[in-house]
Amino acid sequence: MKTSPIIALDFDSSQRVFDFLQPFEAGINVKVGMQLYYKEGPAIISKLKECGFDIFLDLKLHDIPNTVKSAMEVLASLGVDLVNVHAAGGRSMMEAALEGLDKGTPVGMKRPSIIGVTQLTSTDERQVREEQLIHASLQESVLHYTKLTSSAGLDGVVCSVHEAAIISEVCGADFLKVTPGIRLPENGTHDQKRIATPEEARQEGSTHIVVGRAITGASDPRAAYEQINGRWRGVERIG
Ligand code: C5P
C-alpha cells in the first residue's frame, strides 16, 4: 500500500461513499471498515478496485486459526491491499491468517499485507488490569503483542502515534505502523483519546496514517486531504 494517508470510509452506503469520493483522484488509499463491509459486502471492494483505489479492509479478525485461515483466503481473493487481525488471537491464529492469505492470493498478484491490532486505542490501563487481568502496563502489553505479531511473520501493527517510536526500535523502521487518531489543530478530538497531528506521526515513525472525520467531516474534503497529505510528507509549512 502506498504511503499516502488512508481515508477511513466510515459511511453507511455505497452511494454515500462514491458521492464522497467524486472529487478525489483514483489511486488514493481508502479504508473499508465493518459498517460499510457488512452493509455492502464484497461488491463495495470490487467497485473501489475498479476505480483504482488501494484498500485497507479493517475487519479485525479474531477466531480459531482454521476459521481465520479460511476467511483470509476469501479476503485475499477480493484483491485488497491490507487486512488485520487481533494479536490476542495468538501466534497460531496469526500464522494461519498468513497461510490463508498466501493460499487465497490470485496467481500473479501480491499477497495483501497483514497487521495486528494489539490493544484497541479505546482500551485504558484499568481495563487491561481489571477486565483482561493482565498485570502489565498498557504499553508493556502493546509491546508484548507487537513482538508476538512480528514473530508470527506479520507485516506490522495498528498503533497510536505514542507507541510508534518504540515499536520502530523493537521491530525496525520497515515494520508497518498504521496510525489512526490523526487530527489537525483546528479539529475536535471526537471520541479518540490519543490523538496526534500528521507531522507528529511522521516524526514518531508511523509508516501510514488513517484519517476519518478530519477529512470526511470537512467542508472541502479534497482540500483537507491535500493539507493533511502535505503535512504528513513534510512539504507544507506547519501552522
Ligand atoms: O474519524 P477518525 O479519524 O477518528 O477515524 C479513525 C478510523 O480508524 C475509524 O475508522 C476507526 O474505526 C479506525 N481505528 C481507530 N483505532 C484503532 C483501529 C482503527 O480509530 N485502534
Side-chain angles (χ1 to χ4, degrees), residues 8-26:
L9 298 175
D10 292 326
F11 296 108
D12 59 7
S13 73
S14 180
Q15 181 67 49
R16 291 196 59 209
V17 165
F18 286 98
D19 288 348
F20 167 79
L21 288 172
Q22 200 79 42
F24 289 91
E25 279 165 19

Side-chain angles (χ1 to χ4, degrees), residues 136-195:
S137 70
L138 179 58
Q139 198 191 49
E140 282 167 336
S141 173
V142 166
L143 270 180
H144 175 72
Y145 277 136
T146 297
K147 287 179 198 161
L148 186 68
T149 303
S150 173
S151 72
L154 270 58
D155 304 298
V157 287
V158 180
C159 67
S160 87
V161 166
H162 311 283
E163 293 138 11
I166 184 144
I167 292 173
S168 282
E169 266 176 44
V170 174
C171 299
D174 292 341
F175 191 68
L176 298 180
K177 286 158 291 278
V178 178
T179 300
I182 300 299
R183 296 289 182 275
L184 293 176
E186 59 268 33
N187 299 142
T189 59
H190 305 109
D191 57 343
Q192 295 280 17
K193 290 181 185 142
R194 303 169 76 204
I195 57 163

Side-chain angles (χ1 to χ4, degrees), residues 5 16 35 49 51 71 86 112 122 145 160 166 169 173 208 234 236:
R16 291 196 59 209
Q35 181 190 21
K49 288 305 290 182
C51 296
H86 274 283
S122 54
Y145 277 136
S160 87
I166 184 144
E169 266 176 44
H208 295 79
E236 264 187 10

Side-chain angles (χ1 to χ4, degrees), residues 21-227:
L21 288 172
Q22 200 79 42
F24 289 91
E25 279 165 19
I28 60 167
N29 294 328
V30 295
K31 179 173 90 68
V32 173
M34 293 184 198
Q35 181 190 21
L36 185 59
Y37 189 76
Y38 293 151
K39 176 82 191 307
E40 300 289 352
I44 184 74
I45 304 298
S46 318
K47 283 191 212 159
L48 289 166
K49 288 305 290 182
E50 272 167 34
C51 296
F53 296 105
D54 279 6
I55 303 170
F56 171 17
L57 184 52
D58 178 19
L59 298 182
K60 300 186 182 72
L61 274 64
H62 188 171
D63 208 320
I64 60 171
N66 190 57
T67 300
V68 170
K69 180 178 164 187
S70 311
M72 283 298 179
E73 208 176 316
V74 176
L75 298 189
S77 75
L78 302 179
V80 295
D81 301 281
L82 178 65
V83 295
N84 56 3
V85 291
H86 274 283
R91 183 196 304 278
S92 52
M93 187 205 75
M94 290 193 272
E95 288 170 350
L98 262 177
E99 263 180 62
L101 288 179
D102 279 333
K103 200 165 167 211
T105 302
V107 178
M109 282 180 68
K110 195 176 163 289
R111 152 175 92 65
S113 298
I114 173 168
I115 55 180
V117 177
T118 56
Q119 291 284 358
L120 293 168
T121 43
S122 54
T123 302
D124 61 21
E125 296 278 356
R126 188 199 60 79
Q127 285 172 300
V128 168
R129 204 174 50 247
E130 292 177 17
E131 297 180 10
Q132 300 179 12
L133 213 60
I134 291 175
H135 301 294
S137 70
L138 179 58
Q139 198 191 49
E140 282 167 336
S141 173
V142 166
L143 270 180
H144 175 72
Y145 277 136
T146 297
K147 287 179 198 161
L148 186 68
T149 303
S150 173
S151 72
L154 270 58
D155 304 298
V157 287
V158 180
C159 67
S160 87
V161 166
H162 311 283
E163 293 138 11
I166 184 144
I167 292 173
S168 282
E169 266 176 44
V170 174
C171 299
D174 292 341
F175 191 68
L176 298 180
K177 286 158 291 278
V178 178
T179 300
I182 300 299
R183 296 289 182 275
L184 293 176
E186 59 268 33
N187 299 142
T189 59
H190 305 109
D191 57 343
Q192 295 280 17
K193 290 181 185 142
R194 303 169 76 204
I195 57 163
T197 62
E199 295 88 327
E200 286 166 331
R202 171 166 47 82
Q203 284 153 9
E204 292 299 310
S206 296
T207 58
H208 295 79
I209 53 174
V210 175
V211 191
R213 288 161 289 185
I215 295 175
T216 56
S219 54
D220 183 345
R222 173 75 195 256
Y225 173 82
E226 298 300 347
Q227 191 192 6

